[in-house]
Amino acid sequence: MEVHHVTEAAETFTCNAFLVVGDRTTLVDAGAWDGVVDEIRTYTDDVDTVVMTHQHGDHVSELEAVCDAFDPEVYAYDHHPERDYSIDDGETVQIGDDEFTVVYTPGHADDHVSFVSETALFSGDVVVHDDGAFDYGSFGRTDMAGQSREQLIESIDRLLDRLPDGVEYMYAGHGDVFQGDVRDVVETALDRAEKREPKYPDE
């Protein structure tokens, strides 16, 4: 699977946006960096699909610009003016050359979904490898309005149930791309979330 982190050069706050080149070239999240369209064009002239993990501003702000530039089909759980197709738990979407199962993973956001294949996980913000709180196995914040730690715990548990043993790549909404034992990273995040302690000292 050919994956490019197309917001890696951003100097402003944004999520990780991933371009997956293949039979169905797909952008996973659009990010909030105004250079993302130009960066995508260094790899391809066509984007067939955009799939959204959720619609927080750092993930969706550049969606309109991406749609104006490439006219892709847009898949998202909740309504968005650019959305063409809704996606729900248990459905499948093609990302690049592979089929991914949609897993509904709320808690950090009500509309959050993750995408799981036999080898890779696009986890959005529900689980990340590393961030400012933890270096191995972290989870999305749940201290803001509309968020729920209990829902997040249930979501990570659901994600583990759907995660094949062969998954070795994790592409999260923040932090570094991880290659290795993805299940162990997700289990570590679940253990930390279940302690129900504040993720950040000032929460």
Side-chain angles (χ1 to χ4, degrees), residues 3 8 30 39 49 62-63 71 82 85 93 100 108 124 130 150 155 164 179 181 193:
V3 182
E8 190 170 19
E39 184 67 15
T49 307
E62 288 299 306
L63 179 58
D71 193 28
E82 299 290 350
Y85 300 100
V93 294
F100 282 74
H108 175 71
D130 58 284
E150 296 307 314
S155 292
Q179 181 180 3
D181 188 349

Side-chain angles (χ1 to χ4, degrees), residues 170-190:
M170 184 170 79
Y171 303 95
H174 299 277
D176 294 329
V177 173
F178 175 77
Q179 181 180 3
D181 188 349
V182 171
R183 176 172 291 277
D184 187 59
V185 174
V186 178
E187 287 175 344
T188 300
L190 179 60

Side-chain angles (χ1 to χ4, degrees), residues 143-168:
D143 60 304
M144 302 177 75
Q147 299 178 333
S148 166
R149 177 68 65 88
E150 296 307 314
Q151 274 194 328
L152 186 84
I153 290 168
E154 292 173 3
S155 292
I156 300 174
D157 197 39
R158 183 183 305 114
L159 192 58
L160 279 169
D161 285 344
R162 308 275 188 89
L163 196 68
D165 289 335
V167 176
E168 60 175 333

Side-chain angles (χ1 to χ4, degrees), residues 19-97:
L19 179 71
V20 187
V21 178
D23 288 341
R24 192 159 183 83
T25 296
T26 303
L27 183 67
V28 182
D29 288 334
W33 178 43
D34 61 8
V36 69
V37 168
D38 290 339
E39 184 67 15
I40 291 169
R41 284 190 168 128
T42 67
Y43 300 103
T44 183
D45 293 326
D46 298 299
V47 176
D48 299 305
T49 307
V50 177
V51 296
M52 303 302 302
T53 62
H54 63 297
Q55 294 187 40
H56 284 170
D58 57 319
H59 290 253
V60 78
S61 292
E62 288 299 306
L63 179 58
E64 184 176 352
V66 168
C67 290
D68 287 345
F70 302 105
D71 193 28
E73 295 180 341
V74 177
Y75 291 74
Y77 182 87
D78 268 354
H79 173 74
H80 186 280
E82 299 290 350
R83 185 182 75 172
D84 297 295
Y85 300 100
S86 63
I87 50 177
D88 206 347
D89 187 69
E91 296 179 351
T92 59
V93 294
Q94 184 174 343
I95 299 176
D97 298 326

Side-chain angles (χ1 to χ4, degrees), residues 120-141:
L121 165 65
F122 290 94
S123 59
D125 290 359
V126 66
V127 173
V128 301
H129 173 255
D130 58 284
D131 59 16
F134 302 108
D135 290 334
Y136 181 94
S138 192
F139 54 89
R141 67 185 306 159

